[in-house]
Amino acid sequence: MLKIENIDVFYGNIQALRDVSIEVNEGEIVTLIGANGAGKSTLLKTISGLLKPKKGKIEFLSNSIAGKQAQIIVKSGISHVPEGRRVFANLTVEENLELGAFLRKDKAGINSDMQKVYEIFPRLLERKKQHSGTLSGGEQQMLAMGRAIMAKPKLVLLDEPSMGLAPLMVKTIFEVIKDINQDGTTVLLVEQNANMALSVASRGYVIETGRVVLSGSANDLQTSEEVRQAYLGGH
């Protein structure tokens, strides 16, 4: 579904990604793990058009999207849930969700997806008329994910969905990631909590200082001595 070949990405003169190649097949949950500043978020931003690669190829459903404008990439079926949630604080929960469906014209479909989001996140239904800036961190994360679902994406890019959340809320968010995947949405997940990420993913890539240094099935990565010592707190 998504194929990235040998991309280089720079912030000014600083190279953030070097010769990165990954692929995501339809129906998978693929996770990117690595330390802070390794380039994981940069990779998601490059896929969604917020950054342009200096070289290399990015193909989504066999069409090249490298360097295309973000709104064109959203239209092609990719939604990005950014790190730090980025909800529109002065708009209500419902208005945030409506913005997720900004490019859609199918009124009935939009309404039924809105109901679906409220079923997945009953807390959002209770707060639908509340300004989203007044929500807790966990509720804002639910809203950011709900907003992405409203775009009816084929592929969702999730950047650090568990960051700063209480353990119980982390569990809820990961249950939802599994649910939306089972519902037919492919997921590319960046996550500091490598244990959690590998427990839901089918495959993963380890990124260090802008390069992919390891890839394999989630199970292989979970049992790899190297990965355990570096990211899973194993000895």
Side-chain angles (χ1 to χ4, degrees), residues 10-131:
F10 287 79
Y11 286 109
N13 295 327
I14 298 162
Q15 187 158 6
L17 294 177
R18 283 169 198 279
D19 210 27
V20 168
S21 299
I22 72 163
E23 52 187 55
V24 179
N25 301 309
E26 193 166 343
E28 285 189 309
I29 297 178
V30 174
T31 184
L32 306 173
I33 56 180
N36 256 336
K40 307 180 304 293
S41 296
T42 300
L43 183 52
L44 294 194
K45 286 176 183 164
T46 308
I47 295 165
S48 66
L50 300 173
L51 294 170
K52 294 186 177 10
K54 250 304 185 351
K55 81 164 187 51
K57 288 202 281 206
I58 305 176
E59 285 183 356
F60 179 61
L61 298 172
S62 305
N63 297 314
S64 171
I65 58 167
K68 287 210 165 134
Q69 287 179 308
Q71 64 268 35
I72 291 170
I73 292 172
V74 172
K75 223 175 192 162
S76 76
I78 297 178
S79 276
H80 187 169
V81 180
E83 188 181 351
R85 313 188 250 282
R86 306 287 173 89
V87 297
F88 296 99
N90 56 345
L91 298 180
T92 65
V93 164
E94 195 156 50
E95 287 164 340
N96 267 273
L97 292 174
E98 283 165 357
L99 273 177
F102 184 70
L103 292 170
R104 293 174 59 183
K105 301 280 183 278
D106 54 324
K107 269 244 154 58
I110 292 170
N111 287 335
S112 90
D113 283 342
M114 183 85 80
Q115 295 321 308
K116 192 161 86 183
V117 169
Y118 288 144
E119 275 163 36
I120 298 171
F121 298 118
R123 193 88 58 89
L124 294 183
L125 180 59
E126 291 163 23
R127 311 237 188 298
K128 70 179 191 177
K129 297 296 182 206
Q130 207 169 308
H131 279 139

